[in-house]
Amino acid sequence: MSEPVAGQPQPGVTPVQGPPAGLGMFLYKARKNLTGSTPYLMMGGIGLWLLTWWLLCEVFSVPRFEKMPGPVAVLSELFSVEPFLGISVFTQEYYQHIYLSCRRIFFAFMIATGLGVPLGLFMGWSKTVRDYAFPILETVRPIPILAWVPLAILMFAGFEAPVIYLATLASFFVTTLNTLLGVDSIDESYFRAAGCLGAKRRHIFWHVVVPGSMPFIFTGLQISIGVAWFSLVAAEMVSGDGGLGYLIVDAYMNNVTVPMVIGMITLGFVGWITSALVRLVGNRLMQWRVRALALEGR
Amino acid sequence: MATTAPNVYNQRTVVRRTRWQKFLANKKLWRGVTAILCTLVLWEIGSRWDEWFGFRLPFIGFIPPPSDVMVAWLEVLPKIGYWQSWYLSFKRVLAGFLSAMLLGIPFGLALAVNRYFRDIFFPPFEVLRPIPPLAWVPASLIFWPTNEMSIAFVTFLGAFFTIVINVLGGARSIDISYLRAAQSMGATQLDMFWRIVLPGTLPSIFTGAAVGMGITWEVVLAAEMISGGGTQAGGGLGFFIWNSYMGGSLEQIVVGMISIGIAGYLSSSAIRYLGTVCMPWRRLF
Amino acid sequence: MTVTPASSGEHEAQGPASGKGKLELRNVNKGYGEAWERQEVLTHMSLTIAPGDLTAVIGPSGCGKSTLVDLIAGFERPDSGEILLNGEPVTGPAHDRMVVFQETALLPWLTAYQNVAFGPKLRGDLKGEALDAEINRLLDKVGLAEFKDKYPIQLSGGMQRRAELARAMINNPLIMIMDEPFRGLDAMTRELMQEFFLKLFEETRRTNLFVTSELDEAIFLADRLIVLSNRPTSVRETIEIGLPRPREFHMLSSPEAFKYKRQAMEVLHEEAMRGFTRSGDQQAFLDAYRKGDEAQSDG
Amino acid sequence: MAAVGTVPARENAGKGAISIRNVTKIYDPEGVNVLAVDDCSLEIAAGEVCMIVGPSGCGKTTLLSAIAGFHSITFGEIYLDGELLCGPGKPLADQGADRVVVFQNGALFPWMSLADNVAYGPTVQGRLNKTQAREKALDMLAEAGLADVGDKFPGEVSSGMARRAEIVRALINDPKVLLLDEPYRAMDALTKSIMHEALLEMYDRTKVTIFFITHDLEESIFLGDRVVVMTTRPCRTKKIVEVNIPRPRDYHILSSEEFRLLVDEANEAVHEEAIKAFEAGERELA
């Protein structure tokens, strides 16, 4: 018996009219999205939030809120060519801070991934490695990263190394544990199937363990980059020299609030971009998963 | 070839081990113990290298050896100030954590059950979420009248976002057939909320709480270091560490770190325990 | 078909008509999506389910059986046409039509006892000792008396289905709707559950709509077998199953049962193949199998 | 019938006789001590389709695992074409591509396309290089009616297609024995019957020995040359039914008289075991 394959037109079945292509599809989607109330409500939500902020801080100057800069003050400073307080999108200093923080995150993230992923993979792959390494990891992990600050300052000379060390430590734990979890999540039958097909132990590592734990690894990396930002900010605040965390705390010391809020907004934005980047890379590497999920999502 | 007697089962001569023998034969346990002991010994040697061989190893050479840490710990144990730090930190963590739960759970549930509420309030929430909680510290120091309140606020923020996201995810992933079953048995909207949505979200609430607790400790610690350091309002384990750092007592820094590790572990265990008590159906198996 | 109601000591709080609903579908249509995405699921669906009958509905997977259940239960509204229960139009979910779900929808945070008590407690139409006695009677009937304080995950697949049956029965529905209730059980347990369910049905003769994709199951249980066509779905063939009652599992391999089987198989196989090779549209193809994949999680 | 088309004649045609002699398996002898398989003997001829029917959890899968080399056996021995797979002194058989398993829930690697999945065996064994293996894989997929989906990932195709591809992945290694562990369990009855016809068609082409585990009696009679009914735990052979329905078979057989008679013959034994297993299950939970 040979069945007709999907792809050949079958007699007696009305052909499904295909989706419109290109611009037609775009217009169709846009129309469909705009007919519901959701986009308007969402815009309304953001608007409402900005309005509340504005009213509280700038219009009515409610006690305590008056100390905070309102959205108008922040935005006009952020986009002014000659900023009153020295920080705006047109100043080099602003980008200097972003660059410094991003560079630190980059190094920390790379080191943590470079150490954490292999360690996690080996721990999942070999029971011996796991039995030895896991208890140490679990003993050290409950110590909050920020408790390391003084030690980090003592252990590493200069400004840069302690900050990177702290961010690395934070993301290292998350990455390692998620990778381990990823290896554990691989169905036993994949190992067996590979064994049946004649794969040796090293083949199984490269063809089953590594790709099979990918989804968890990337979930871990997304969390890990968030945690890295979290500790980076703290470290920059305490010991740093430059960077967005420093920008915030420096503004606080100088009693100016606007650059502080600019620093916060920028942090949120840059943090969001980096985690989106990680997701993007993950999706590129895991086409098999993206496509399967896209079909299920329907 | 004939290795089997017809009734193999009864003729087995396998000796059953006692519980004690099994404990001794537990390879995993002994490997773990060995690993930790080795780490401690290496740490001791690394730290004392300077004393013994006359030059300092990088990194590890700056950390006091575990034996000194032990001595320092025994020294502070009877002191009231040390236990007061525990108390103060716990108080702050609890305040921030509880307020985050109290506000976060209803907010998350409201986001989950009402579409309009979600459409309006979720976008600002998502805009604020990527800002690391510690970035709020200076702003909240300015905003709130006392240090204590600003610490509480930042702590609250740290746990709040995590809890809301977990509650929302949990409530949205409840199996629709539960809702339908209840509906066809005559449940009103209110019934469905109390009897289906709430218990169905409970596991996610506890997951969120466990993660939130971890963040809370981080934030409290940082806030204590950044704001409390040096002022009379201080106290707390973060301050204990910072103070030891300022005073140059390296051993006490490590004591503080270990204490905080223990405190964090205790609080997350407490949440796990509470989870098993509140969700008996998850305790099984 | 005339049926003499089996007189058992059952609690009949809802009056004499309890459990004997008559369901009618008149020219029901239902589709999803808009514009080019539009998929017609049910077209010109008309059928009548006689009171006290067990009507089995069978069709290839993805043909719209679940949509049919959703419409009758009131979870969704038809695009056109009407659904009548004892002459009254169906407007939404209510406890006169109880659904036994695919896989089971026992609430995992309640014990077997509490699950059964859920419906009556919500409505408050049965209270105190009367409720307790009724729950115990039903749990005993489904053989779960010992297990009443266990949570669903502590029960085996077969027990969960039986608990769900008890939960549906306590609401005294006019009609029970079974949406592939034994799916995911292994073939042997499934056979036993069918026998068990059959006994239960023959005792009470409550109107029953039994949706399935297993031909043997349908022939074994049903008074009448409705074969659905592939999507867009309508009634393709109706077969009266004349096997005597009470039935026993031997009857399944009797020549008579095989006669029905042959008759239904021809039609079904044709419809199944039609779904299997349907057009070039990969998505439609996947739709048909999505459910099969979901069932795998039952491991 | 010999192989047709692009596939060269099978090297291992006419091989794959399995001899299971007095096999016993005890799980966790120092602890819970579960007797899963008790003194089980079975001879399977080369090229036979042997169907093992038994309630779930009865120990059938243990038997399959012993042949495939996933689990050790406690006593007894298993031979493949007269060579010892496992026995005293060598409790665990080596895993090898001469006995390929198709798993209950499917084990196509979700991170490889169907063609890469099929090509995996020959590549990893070093029998063919990557391009050759891929070419052969595409040929074999096409033969199984999966020509268009070779570049799709398993998550993108229906479970029926994935399952067929998995059987192709096994067959490309020219195994002596194909071990199937309830491969169609999760499918609904109608899809299953289509899958059965596809499997029969592949069998008619290759005549590979098939060791098929199931708890569905109709499936086993439809597919098998011989149906072995197993007892519930511990697993022993209870009844063996010879199926003499001529091949090639199609779905019409399902409603034929001879089929009915066979079902009638085996039904009693299967039903008895089902009840026993069910009662044991209830007892265990109580």
Side-chain angles (χ1 to χ4, degrees), chain A residues 93 96-102 104 159-160 163 232-233 235-250:
Chain A
E93 213 188 330
Q96 186 70 21
H97 285 299
I98 296 181
Y99 167 73
L100 275 175
S101 286
C102 285
R104 287 168 187 156
F159 287 113
E160 207 65 4
V163 177
L232 180 89
V233 170
E236 282 179 348
M237 280 179 159
V238 178
S239 73
D241 175 34
L244 290 166
Y246 176 76
L247 170 68
I248 294 175
V249 93
D250 187 49

Side-chain angles (χ1 to χ4, degrees), chain C residues 82-282:
Chain C
E82 47 184 359
I83 303 173
L84 302 172
L85 180 63
N86 282 352
E88 304 276 324
V90 164
T91 52
H95 71 280
D96 53 3
R97 285 153 282 132
M98 290 306 301
V99 182
V100 175
F101 291 88
Q102 259 179 48
E103 305 295 313
T104 86
L106 289 174
L107 301 174
W109 48 87
L110 300 180
T111 62
Y113 181 92
Q114 290 166 330
N115 259 299
V116 178
F118 189 79
K121 276 205 171 149
L122 271 183
R123 297 188 303 274
D125 53 10
L126 203 59
K127 283 199 186 81
E129 282 189 9
L131 176 63
D132 185 62
E134 178 67 4
I135 295 172
N136 283 327
R137 189 184 69 80
L138 279 171
L139 281 174
D140 196 38
K141 195 168 192 158
V142 298
L144 292 175
E146 278 178 76
F147 301 96
K148 64 180 189 178
D149 291 326
K150 302 256 180 187
Y151 288 99
I153 51 159
Q154 290 174 289
L155 302 176
S156 70
M159 289 178 183
Q160 289 179 13
R161 313 298 148 118
R162 281 179 284 154
E164 181 135 12
L165 276 176
R167 183 174 76 167
M169 287 193 300
I170 200 165
N171 295 293
N172 255 315
L174 293 172
I175 177 169
M176 294 258 272
I177 305 161
M178 320 276 286
D179 184 8
E180 304 197 40
F182 305 141
R183 175 167 210 155
L185 293 177
D186 67 81
M188 290 188 164
T189 314
R190 192 175 178 136
E191 224 166 79
L192 297 176
M193 287 303 298
Q194 287 162 8
E195 268 189 298
F196 174 81
F197 172 71
L198 194 68
K199 234 185 279 163
L200 213 61
F201 169 75
E202 279 167 357
E203 212 174 285
T204 57
R205 301 267 352 174
R206 175 173 275 137
T207 312
N208 203 307
L209 178 70
F210 197 102
V211 175
T212 179
S213 62
E214 194 100 15
L215 187 52
D216 282 335
E217 179 170 274
I219 292 174
F220 184 42
L221 300 177
D223 295 308
R224 192 139 58 89
L225 175 61
I226 293 176
V227 183
L228 298 182
S229 67
N230 214 317
R231 211 155 38 163
T233 303
S234 54
V235 175
R236 166 82 194 249
E237 194 160 322
T238 306
I239 302 170
E240 300 287 338
I241 307 285
L243 295 176
R245 287 192 190 270
R247 293 184 187 165
E248 281 167 35
F249 86 96
H250 299 285
M251 292 181 188
L252 249 189
S253 46
S254 69
E256 205 186 351
F258 264 68
K259 190 189 80 198
Y260 296 124
K261 198 170 165 182
R262 213 162 5 240
Q263 197 180 346
M265 185 108 69
E266 286 302 324
V267 185
L268 262 176
H269 198 265
E270 191 183 305
E271 291 296 336
M273 286 305 280
R274 197 147 77 81
F276 200 69
T277 58
R278 166 210 302 275
S279 73
D281 187 359
Q282 183 75 17

Side-chain angles (χ1 to χ4, degrees), chain B residues 211-257:
Chain B
V211 180
M213 185 55 105
I215 300 179
T216 312
W217 269 105
E218 297 263 2
V219 176
V220 164
L221 192 64
E224 282 174 355
M225 282 190 190
I226 298 170
S227 68
T231 68
Q232 67 280 16
L237 286 168
F239 180 67
F240 179 85
I241 293 178
W242 195 248
N243 220 17
S244 315
Y245 169 63
M246 290 303 185
S249 166
L250 296 186
E251 291 81 10
Q252 279 204 15
I253 297 181
V254 182
V255 169
M257 286 170 65

Side-chain angles (χ1 to χ4, degrees), chain C residues 60-61 154 159 162 186-188 191-192 195 213 216 249-250 253 258 261-262 266 269 285 289 293 296, chain D residues 55-56 158-159 163 186 188-191 215 218 251-252 254-255 260 264 268 270-271 274 278 282 285:
Chain C
S61 70
Q154 290 174 289
M159 289 178 183
R162 281 179 284 154
D186 67 81
M188 290 188 164
E191 224 166 79
L192 297 176
E195 268 189 298
S213 62
D216 282 335
F249 86 96
H250 299 285
S253 46
F258 264 68
K261 198 170 165 182
R262 213 162 5 240
E266 286 302 324
H269 198 265
F285 189 77
Y289 286 96
D293 288 335
Q296 286 185 0
Chain D
S56 47
S158 69
S159 59
R163 212 43 62 89
D188 74 275
L190 298 168
T191 317
H215 35 221
E218 297 216 350
Y251 74 96
H252 291 285
L254 282 173
S255 49
R260 188 183 71 76
D264 217 18
E268 196 71 50
V270 174
H271 199 73
F278 185 75
E282 307 259 296
L285 283 171

Side-chain angles (χ1 to χ4, degrees), chain A residues 37-38 41-42 44-46 48-49 63-65 67-68 127-128 131-133 135-136 139 142-151 153-156 229-230 233-234 237-238 248-249 252 255 257 260 264-265 267-269 271-272, chain B residues 27-28 31-32 34-36 39 59 62-64 115-116 119-121 123-124 127-128 130-139 141-145 215 217-219 221-222 225-226 241-242 245 250 253-254 257-258 260-261 265:
Chain A
S37 60
T38 306
L41 285 174
M42 283 168 84
I46 296 270
L48 195 69
W49 169 61
R64 301 232 71 90
F65 281 97
K67 293 186 175 188
M68 292 284 129
K127 211 170 140 25
T128 321
D131 282 353
Y132 285 116
I136 301 178
T139 325
I143 300 176
I145 302 305
L146 298 175
W148 287 88
V149 170
L151 269 196
I153 298 173
L154 290 170
M155 277 159 67
F156 298 91
W229 275 107
F230 178 95
V233 170
M237 280 179 159
V238 178
I248 294 175
V249 93
Y252 170 65
N255 264 326
T257 48
M260 203 167 78
M264 287 166 66
I265 293 173
L267 258 179
F269 185 68
W272 179 78
Chain B
K27 226 184 199 170
K28 198 173 153 188
R31 280 177 171 173
T34 318
I36 290 182
T39 316
F59 312 137
F62 294 92
I63 305 176
R115 220 196 83 201
Y116 299 108
D119 284 348
I120 293 176
F121 288 100
V127 170
L128 291 177
I131 301 176
L134 291 177
W136 290 87
V137 170
L141 282 175
I142 294 175
F143 182 80
W144 295 98
I215 300 179
W217 269 105
E218 297 263 2
V219 176
L221 192 64
M225 282 190 190
I226 298 170
I241 293 178
W242 195 248
Y245 169 63
L250 296 186
I253 297 181
V254 182
M257 286 170 65
I258 297 174
I260 280 221
Y265 180 77

Side-chain angles (χ1 to χ4, degrees), chain A residues 189-253:
Chain A
S189 60
Y190 295 132
F191 291 98
R192 290 182 170 182
C196 269
L197 295 171
K200 301 277 175 303
R201 210 165 143 69
R202 91 194 125 86
H203 293 136
I204 290 181
F205 182 78
W206 287 111
H207 299 150
V208 179
V209 174
V210 174
S213 49
M214 246 354 150
F216 273 80
I217 293 180
F218 273 92
T219 317
L221 289 183
Q222 280 223 34
I223 304 172
S224 125
I225 202 150
V227 184
W229 275 107
F230 178 95
S231 359
L232 180 89
V233 170
E236 282 179 348
M237 280 179 159
V238 178
S239 73
D241 175 34
L244 290 166
Y246 176 76
L247 170 68
I248 294 175
V249 93
D250 187 49
Y252 170 65
M253 295 296 183

Side-chain angles (χ1 to χ4, degrees), chain A residues 12-287:
Chain A
V13 180
T14 44
V16 181
Q17 199 191 340
L23 189 65
M25 185 66 182
F26 174 76
L27 285 177
Y28 171 78
K29 275 195 172 161
R31 201 168 52 234
K32 200 173 171 185
N33 281 337
L34 290 178
T35 43
S37 60
T38 306
Y40 307 109
L41 285 174
M42 283 168 84
M43 279 188 277
I46 296 270
L48 195 69
W49 169 61
L50 286 173
L51 185 75
T52 320
W53 182 12
W54 182 59
L55 289 178
L56 283 175
C57 297
E58 286 178 305
V59 180
F60 301 121
S61 294
V62 179
R64 301 232 71 90
F65 281 97
E66 95 239 279
K67 293 186 175 188
M68 292 284 129
V72 176
V74 171
L75 288 178
S76 59
E77 176 78 3
L78 184 59
F79 293 107
S80 78
V81 186
E82 281 181 4
F84 181 59
L85 294 159
I87 291 290
S88 83
V89 291
F90 298 103
T91 56
Q92 214 190 339
E93 213 188 330
Y94 180 63
Y95 296 103
Q96 186 70 21
H97 285 299
I98 296 181
Y99 167 73
L100 275 175
S101 286
C102 285
R103 198 181 66 179
R104 287 168 187 156
I105 283 290
F106 177 78
F107 283 128
F109 185 69
M110 283 298 151
I111 298 170
T113 310
L115 293 175
V117 170
L119 179 63
L121 287 175
F122 280 116
M123 270 163 71
W125 184 52
S126 151
K127 211 170 140 25
T128 321
V129 177
R130 185 202 197 117
D131 282 353
Y132 285 116
F134 193 65
I136 301 178
L137 217 62
E138 278 298 279
T139 325
V140 184
R141 202 170 58 99
I143 300 176
I145 302 305
L146 298 175
W148 287 88
V149 170
L151 269 196
I153 298 173
L154 290 170
M155 277 159 67
F156 298 91
F159 287 113
E160 207 65 4
V163 177
I164 294 179
Y165 170 74
L166 288 173
T168 308
L169 200 64
S171 49
F172 171 75
F173 286 122
V174 176
T175 307
T176 312
L177 287 174
N178 270 284
T179 308
L180 178 62
L181 217 62
V183 182
D184 281 350
S185 77
I186 302 173
D187 197 300
E188 177 66 24
S189 60
Y190 295 132
F191 291 98
R192 290 182 170 182
C196 269
L197 295 171
K200 301 277 175 303
R201 210 165 143 69
R202 91 194 125 86
H203 293 136
I204 290 181
F205 182 78
W206 287 111
H207 299 150
V208 179
V209 174
V210 174
S213 49
M214 246 354 150
F216 273 80
I217 293 180
F218 273 92
T219 317
L221 289 183
Q222 280 223 34
I223 304 172
S224 125
I225 202 150
V227 184
W229 275 107
F230 178 95
S231 359
L232 180 89
V233 170
E236 282 179 348
M237 280 179 159
V238 178
S239 73
D241 175 34
L244 290 166
Y246 176 76
L247 170 68
I248 294 175
V249 93
D250 187 49
Y252 170 65
M253 295 296 183
N254 294 326
N255 264 326
V256 282
T257 48
V258 174
M260 203 167 78
V261 177
I262 290 180
M264 287 166 66
I265 293 173
T266 315
L267 258 179
F269 185 68
V270 178
W272 179 78
I273 295 263
T274 47
S275 92
L277 270 178
V278 173
R279 194 165 44 232
L280 203 73
V281 173
N283 287 350
R284 280 306 284 268
L285 284 178
M286 294 184 294
Q287 276 302 306

